[in-house]
Amino acid sequence: MDPCPFVRVLVGNLALRMPVAPPAAGAGAGVHPSTSPCHCKIRLGKMPAQLVPAPLAPSDGCEQAPASGALAAAFHLSKADLEWFNGKPSLFSSRGEATLKVAVYAGRKGSTCGVSSGRLLGKATIPLDLKGAEAKPAVLHSGWISIGKRAGKGGPAAAELSLTVRAEPDPRFVFEFDGEPECSPQVLQVRGSMKQPMFTCKFGCRSNSDLRRPGMQPEAPGKERKGWSVTVHDLSGSPVAMASMVTPFVPSPGTDRVSRSNPGAWLILRPAGDGAWEPWARLECWRERGGAGASDSLGYRFDLLLPGVDHAVPLADSSISSSKGGKFAIDLTAAQPLSRGGTPGCSPRGSGDFSNWPLGNYRGFVMSAAVQGEGKCSKPAVEVGVAHIGCAEDAAAFVALAAAVDLSMDACRLFSHRLRKELSHPQADLLR
C-alpha cells in the first residue's frame, strides 16, 4: 500500500508582549493584558480559523522567544492543498502565497454572530514556504513579530507576538467506499487519480438478537434500532474487521431521539484466530439537540480497548452536523507538546519520554472519516496516518469504524422518520 502525501503545519510557543502603557487610541484602546485575557485567531490560507489563548510574557526587554512547548494550532494539508499553495499566482487568485494570518484580541475567546469577541489589538501576516514540506520537516518561523503600530514618536512600542511555525510530513493512507455502508460496498484505496479495490463490506441486521442492556426496555415494541453489523473482508474473502452494534439505539422516554444519557454503541472487532473476534474499540453515538437556529448533530465518543488495561481509553469526543455532515476525527496532535526546538513530541525526531503515555502507540493524527448528513448519499472517505497501519487488518479496523459512524447517522435519526429499506429489513446473520 502506498500512502498519499500530507503535511501538517504546527503553531506553538505562543506568547504576547504588550507595551507598558496601552495605546491612547485605536484598536485595543483602554485594554491592558494585566486585567484582561487575550486570544488569537489563526488562519492558514482558505482553511478554517482556529481560536487559541495567547499567554502573556513579561516586558523585560528580553529578545529571546519563549519556548513553553505548548502547541496552539494545527493545520492538515492534503496534496491538493499543497498544489494550490504552490501553484502560480494570478491576478484573481492568491494561490502560491501560503500565509499564516494571526489576529490578536483582548478578551476571552469566542464569537457572536460570526464576529470574534474581544477588542482587536493587532494583526500579523507570516509568509510560509511549503515547497518540499512533504519530504522533510522544517521550521518556517520562530521568534517575535510586531502585531500593531507604535503610537507616535515617544509613545509605547507596538505589541509583539512570539510563535513557532513548523511544517512536517504526515503521510496517510486514503480509502473510499464506493457505495453506502448498508449496501455492502467495495472499499477502494485512493492515491492521486488511481483507485484500486482493497476491501469488501457486508452489512447485516440480526433482528432476532436481544442486545439490550439488562433491565432496559424500549418505549414501545419495535421502537429501537438494533443488531446492525458490518464485516470487512480482504480481497481473498477472509474477514479482517467488524463493527457490531452491541447496544440498541432507543429513543429516550417521551421523545423520538437518542439521548446522550442513553447512547447506542458499537464494538469494533478484530480477528483473534480460529474464527474468534476480540474487541479493539467502542463507539457510542447519540443525537444532540441544536441551539437556536441550529440543526441537530450526531454526538460521538470513541474509546480504545487496550490489552491488559482494565478501563477504556478515551480518544475522541465531539459531534457532526446531522444536516450538513462533517468529519469524525481521532487527532491527538493537540495533546502533545512542541519541544523547545519546535519538534512535536509525537514525531520520531522528538526527545520526549513516552513511557507513561496513556494512549499506547496512538499519537498525532490517527484517522478521519468524512460522512454526509441525513438523507444524503454517503460514501465515507477515510484517512489514516501511516504510523497507525502495520498491516491490512489495521486499515480494515478503521474502515469498519468509519462504517459504524456513517450508520450511526441513520441510527440516531428521529424515530418519527422512517429508515430506508436496506436498514429496516432483516438480513442475513453475519456472524456465521
Side-chain angles (χ1 to χ4, degrees), residues 8 10 71 137 166 168 333 336-339 341-352 354:
R8 59 180 179 181
L10 306 174
L71 178 66
R166 182 180 178 86
E168 64 174 27
T333 303
Q336 298 158 70
L338 290 166
S339 72
T343 303
C346 54
S347 166
R349 292 168 297 278
S351 57
F354 296 109

Side-chain angles (χ1 to χ4, degrees), residues 294-346:
S295 65
D296 287 355
S297 60
L298 175 74
Y300 63 81
R301 180 169 51 244
F302 178 78
D303 295 331
L304 195 65
L305 306 177
L306 293 172
V309 178
D310 60 0
H311 61 277
V313 179
L315 290 193
D317 188 342
S318 189
S319 62
I320 302 170
S321 170
S322 295
S323 60
K324 297 179 181 178
K327 279 193 175 184
F328 168 90
I330 307 172
D331 188 352
L332 306 177
T333 303
Q336 298 158 70
L338 290 166
S339 72
R340 289 185 176 271
T343 303
C346 54

Side-chain angles (χ1 to χ4, degrees), residues 45-76:
K46 58 184 179 180
M47 310 190 81
Q50 300 182 33
L51 294 177
V52 297
L56 301 174
S59 301
D60 55 4
C62 178
E63 292 301 319
Q64 184 177 359
S68 65
L71 178 66
F75 298 91
H76 302 269

Side-chain angles (χ1 to χ4, degrees), residues 298 320-322 372 374 405-413:
L298 175 74
I320 302 170
S321 170
S322 295
Q372 297 297 318
E374 292 177 337
V405 173
D406 188 86
L407 288 167
S408 294
M409 190 69 77
D410 291 295
C412 287
R413 196 167 189 180

Side-chain angles (χ1 to χ4, degrees), residues 186-207:
Q186 276 192 325
V187 178
L188 311 174
Q189 185 185 355
V190 181
R191 196 176 193 281
S193 60
M194 297 179 59
K195 298 182 180 181
Q196 61 182 16
M198 188 69 188
F199 303 108
T200 59
C201 293
K202 186 67 175 177
F203 174 79
C205 180
R206 292 167 288 125
S207 61

